[in-house]
């Protein structure tokens, strides 16, 4: 296999091969993403099923039966939204607990805990007989998502060679998109299974959870995690195994040095507030805000609802959601191919323009042609579906995967787990906000919701242009010297930290 080295600039040349073992580790770990994606996709489909609504949300089902139902308000119910959003609120809380587990026990056990939480949650939701049981199940699923989303991106970034880190990390997002696609297929076929099609759909989440649980038994712990926990020899052996070469001394010493610095930090969350931690900390949080306020989850959570709103019947709506799922998966492969070639910034900037155009066109068509009642004409409905698909393409190769990749690779080791926990919790918080508020926003703002998201896309595109540096090919423990210090804006925080340390030394 070809040798991969990180040879740009003054970075050490860490030799590595892309081994079959690393590929297997990446795929198994990324099943944590498939779990997350399956839930995103399954929630929207299940909440559109009449059998599910009749059992748990009869008032919503009654509202659907009205002949002159409101196109924008027919699903506006806070408890129905809580079914979807409670998972993300639980994941927000769980991410901080998962951070501690990641640091103390390692990335691998954290993924195993995620699987166990998810399996229990699946059992409760699929077997639910009342709304309390349903919501408790969703909360446990949220703990599974919080643990998985904390551990998997860190695991992928730490085992990947620097020059392939972007592509391998995006496998997590690829599995998210595959999970969404599978969920859409499951929704399509179980919608006609009465009265328990929704139970089958929710229960299907057990399959990837089982794969992650048993698959995690055969993957290794990351060298960084082992060395961080004073298992230096095991860490060195793990590094040799995943790199596929014998000459790993330079990378090993780099990790040991990073771990020694990290061991001096007793409170990583307080360290996050220091000047030198602010660049990755601020970018990590804002990426999560921007990722959710692109409007993607508004489309993915409620794709069946959205397509029904623009005039498709229930079956056609689910089929259209399957189509967007296929596009989502294929477009993520584009991101995997491009991220280590064109870089992170190019994808963020290109897609901002791309998604902005799509959102504006969809909003204009709905504002012009879709009233409170009635449907769109077939030509207009088809145009909306096409631009939803084109929009999904742009998100799938940019803000979707890079929202996870950039925070997982930019924090130094001493704040990596804590910083990424904050990023995950922010992601879950903003996902919760969108999941809980979207249907009410759709009811109140109508087509204006697409202009709302368009404004956010403009803001995040400008932020990417001026404040997000390129991290392509930079070793994960070289970010301070290679990325933050040369940046026109963020270097001031590095200089402030250096000045502070000089004062402390003189004192």
């Amino acid at each position: 296999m070809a040798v991969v080295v990180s040879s740009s600039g003054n970075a050490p040349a860490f030799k590595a091969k892309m081994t079959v073992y690393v590929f297997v580790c990446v795929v198994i770990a990324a099943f944590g993403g498939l779990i997350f994606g399956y839930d995103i996709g399954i929630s929207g489909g299940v909440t559109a099923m009449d059998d599910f609504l009749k059992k748990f949300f009869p008032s919503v089902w009654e509202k659907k039966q009205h002949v002159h139902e409101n196109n924008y308000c027919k699903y506006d119910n806070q408890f129905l939204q809580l079914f979807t959003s409670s998972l993300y609120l639980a994941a927000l809380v769980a991410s901080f607990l998962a951070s501690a587990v990641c640091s103390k026990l390692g990335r691998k056990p954290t993924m195993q805990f995620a699987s166990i939480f998810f399996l229990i949650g699946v059992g409760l939701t699929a077997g639910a007989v009342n709304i309390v049981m349903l919501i408790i199940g969703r909360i446990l699923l949220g703990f599974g998502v919080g643990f998985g989303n904390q551990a998997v991106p860190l695991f992928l970034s730490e085992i990947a060679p620097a020059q392939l880190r972007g592509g391998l990390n995006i496998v997590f997002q690829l599995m998210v998109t595959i999970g969404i696609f599978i969920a859409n297929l499951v929704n399509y076929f179980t919608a006609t299974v009465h009265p328990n099609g929704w139970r089958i759909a929710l229960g299907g989440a057990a399959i990837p959870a089982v794969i992650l649980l048993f698959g995690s038994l055969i993957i290794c712990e990351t060298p960084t995690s082992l060395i961080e926990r004073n298992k230096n020899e095991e860490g060195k052996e793990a590094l040799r195994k995943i790199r596929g070469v014998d000459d790993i001394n330079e990378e090993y010493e780099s990790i040991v040095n990073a771990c020694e610095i990290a061991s001096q930090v007793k409170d990583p969350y307080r360290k996050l507030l220091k000047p030198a931690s602010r660049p990755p900390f601020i970018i990590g949080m804002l990426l999560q805000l921007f990722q959710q306020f692109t409007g993607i989850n508004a489309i993915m959570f409620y794709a069946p609802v959205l397509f029904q709103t623009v005039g498709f019947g229930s079956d056609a709506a689910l089929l259209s959601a399957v189509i967007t799922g296929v596009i989502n998966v294929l477009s993520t492969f584009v991101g995997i191919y491009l991220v280590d070639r064109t870089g992170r910034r190019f994808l963020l900037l290109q897609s901002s323009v791309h998604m902005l155009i799509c959102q504006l066109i969809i909003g204009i068509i709905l504002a012009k042609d879709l009233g409170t009642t009635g449907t769109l004409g077939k030509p207009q409905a088809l145009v909306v579906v096409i631009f939803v698909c084109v929009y999904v393409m742009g998100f799938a190769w940019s803000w979707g995967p890079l929202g996870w990749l950039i925070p997982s690779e930019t924090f130094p080791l001493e704040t990596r787990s804590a910083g990424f926990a904050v990023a995950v919790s922010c992601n879950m918080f903003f996902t919760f906000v969108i999941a809980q508020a979207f249907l009410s926003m759709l009811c109140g703002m109508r087509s204006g919701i697409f202009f709302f998201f368009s404004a956010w896309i403009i803001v995040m595109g400008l932020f990417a242009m001026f404040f997000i540096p390129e991290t392509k090919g930079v070793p994960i423990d070289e970010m301070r010297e290679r990325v933050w210090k040369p940046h026109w804006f963020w270097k001031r925080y590095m200089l402030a930290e250096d000045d502070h340390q000089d004062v402390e030394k003189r004192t």
Side-chain angles (χ1 to χ4, degrees):
M1 291 186 181
V3 173
V4 177
V5 296
S6 134
S7 56
S8 53
N10 61 355
F14 298 150
K15 295 180 180 179
K17 293 178 180 178
M18 181 57 213
T19 63
V20 172
Y21 182 72
V22 166
F23 179 76
V24 171
C25 287
V26 166
V27 172
I28 290 174
F31 266 88
L34 195 146
I35 292 171
F36 184 37
Y38 186 89
D39 183 81
I40 291 173
I42 215 70
S43 300
V46 165
T47 53
M49 293 182 187
D50 285 347
D51 291 321
F52 178 81
L53 293 175
K54 279 191 283 187
K55 185 167 184 64
F56 296 107
F57 306 98
S59 63
V60 179
W61 180 78
E62 287 288 343
K63 199 172 183 180
K64 272 186 69 179
Q65 309 313 303
H66 295 166
V67 177
H68 299 294
E69 59 190 338
N70 187 313
N71 276 321
Y72 295 98
C73 298
K74 56 188 170 186
Y75 291 103
D76 182 21
N77 181 281
Q78 287 297 314
F79 284 108
L80 179 61
Q81 291 168 198
L82 184 62
F83 165 75
T84 296
S85 61
S86 58
L87 181 150
Y88 302 97
L89 196 58
L92 185 161
V93 176
S95 61
F96 291 101
L97 178 59
S99 171
V101 174
C102 247
S103 296
K104 300 296 183 184
L105 301 181
R107 286 46 166 159
K108 180 175 168 178
T110 308
M111 288 187 272
Q112 292 167 339
F113 279 120
S115 305
I116 292 168
F117 279 126
F118 216 86
L119 285 170
I120 298 171
V122 167
L124 286 172
T125 54
V129 295
N130 55 53
I131 195 167
V132 173
M133 189 173 175
L134 193 69
I135 298 300
I136 291 173
R138 292 289 292 178
I139 290 170
L140 287 172
L141 290 176
F143 270 76
V145 167
F147 271 66
N149 287 11
Q150 170 71 19
V152 173
L154 288 181
F155 177 88
L156 297 177
S157 285
E158 289 179 350
I159 69 166
Q163 296 298 90
L164 298 175
R165 186 176 63 244
L168 293 180
N169 191 285
I170 288 179
V171 174
F172 173 78
Q173 179 68 17
L174 174 65
M175 295 297 267
V176 172
T177 64
I178 291 173
I180 293 170
F181 171 62
I182 292 172
N184 287 334
L185 281 178
V186 171
N187 283 334
Y188 181 69
F189 289 109
T190 57
T192 57
V193 179
H194 303 292
N196 292 317
W198 62 271
R199 293 189 189 276
I200 298 170
L202 293 175
I207 297 172
V210 168
I211 293 172
L212 179 63
L213 178 61
F214 288 100
S216 64
L217 299 176
I218 65 172
I219 64 177
C220 68
E221 183 58 87
T222 71
T224 299
S225 177
L226 290 167
I227 296 169
E228 185 181 24
R229 291 179 288 123
N230 299 315
K231 299 180 179 182
N232 289 37
E233 286 306 312
E234 290 180 46
K236 192 169 188 178
E237 189 55 39
L239 184 62
R240 185 176 287 110
K241 187 173 184 178
I242 64 174
R243 293 293 178 252
V245 297
D246 290 326
D247 185 11
I248 47 90
N249 288 332
E250 283 187 277
E251 186 171 6
Y252 172 75
E253 291 301 328
S254 175
I255 295 172
V256 169
N257 182 57
C259 290
E260 287 175 353
I261 295 171
S263 67
Q264 298 169 17
V265 177
K266 303 305 179 186
D267 187 348
Y269 289 100
R270 178 174 292 181
K271 177 73 173 177
L272 282 174
L273 301 178
K274 300 289 186 182
S277 299
R278 286 175 197 165
F281 183 60
I282 293 169
I283 289 175
M285 288 194 298
L286 287 180
L287 277 172
Q288 310 314 313
L289 169 68
F290 293 146
Q291 187 193 70
Q292 298 311 311
F293 278 76
T294 58
I296 186 63
N297 278 347
I299 287 175
M300 285 303 182
F301 278 145
Y302 303 109
V305 176
L306 181 63
F307 285 117
Q308 283 179 318
T309 297
V310 299
F312 287 80
S314 295
D315 288 346
L318 286 170
L319 182 58
S320 299
V322 169
I323 293 170
T324 61
V326 172
I327 291 169
N328 200 11
V329 172
L330 296 178
S331 300
T332 305
F333 280 107
V334 176
I336 290 173
Y337 178 78
L338 291 177
V339 69
D340 290 316
R341 290 171 171 82
T342 64
R344 283 66 160 155
R345 289 184 79 250
F346 172 81
L347 292 176
L348 293 174
L349 293 171
Q350 179 278 329
S351 64
S352 294
V353 177
H354 178 140
M355 292 189 295
L356 175 63
I357 292 170
C358 293
Q359 289 274 25
L360 289 174
I361 290 174
I362 293 169
I364 289 168
I365 291 174
L366 295 186
K368 180 175 175 289
D369 297 318
L370 185 66
T372 303
T373 58
T375 61
L376 282 177
K378 285 188 178 180
Q380 295 96 324
L382 183 60
V383 170
V384 168
V385 171
I386 289 171
F387 276 97
V388 164
C389 293
V390 174
Y391 165 86
V392 168
M393 285 182 192
F395 179 85
W397 65 53
S398 61
W399 289 89
L402 297 180
W404 298 108
L405 168 60
I406 293 173
S408 75
E409 68 181 2
T410 51
F411 284 101
L413 180 60
E414 60 264 30
T415 56
R416 188 172 300 155
S417 183
F420 196 67
V422 172
V424 171
S425 66
C426 286
N427 186 285
M428 295 300 110
F429 173 74
F430 294 122
T431 304
F432 167 78
V433 169
I434 290 294
Q436 188 65 24
F438 172 68
L439 291 179
S440 298
M441 290 168 67
L442 181 63
C443 184
M445 299 173 69
R446 300 173 45 154
S447 58
I449 196 169
F450 291 93
F451 302 113
F452 170 80
F453 288 128
S454 295
W456 277 101
I457 291 173
I458 293 171
V459 172
M460 68 197 218
L462 292 172
F463 182 82
M465 179 181 294
F466 293 108
F467 298 106
I468 297 182
E470 185 54 69
T471 55
K472 178 185 73 172
V474 180
I476 196 168
D477 292 313
E478 295 286 322
M479 293 292 171
R480 178 186 172 92
E481 299 298 323
R482 299 282 313 285
V483 172
W484 305 119
K485 280 191 173 181
H487 190 269
W488 74 273
F489 181 80
W490 300 119
K491 66 182 180 183
R492 69 188 66 187
Y493 294 100
M494 302 299 113
L495 294 172
E497 182 77 3
D498 290 345
D499 290 344
H500 178 69
Q501 289 177 355
D502 287 343
V503 170
E504 284 188 338
K505 286 177 183 177
R506 287 197 298 271
T507 302

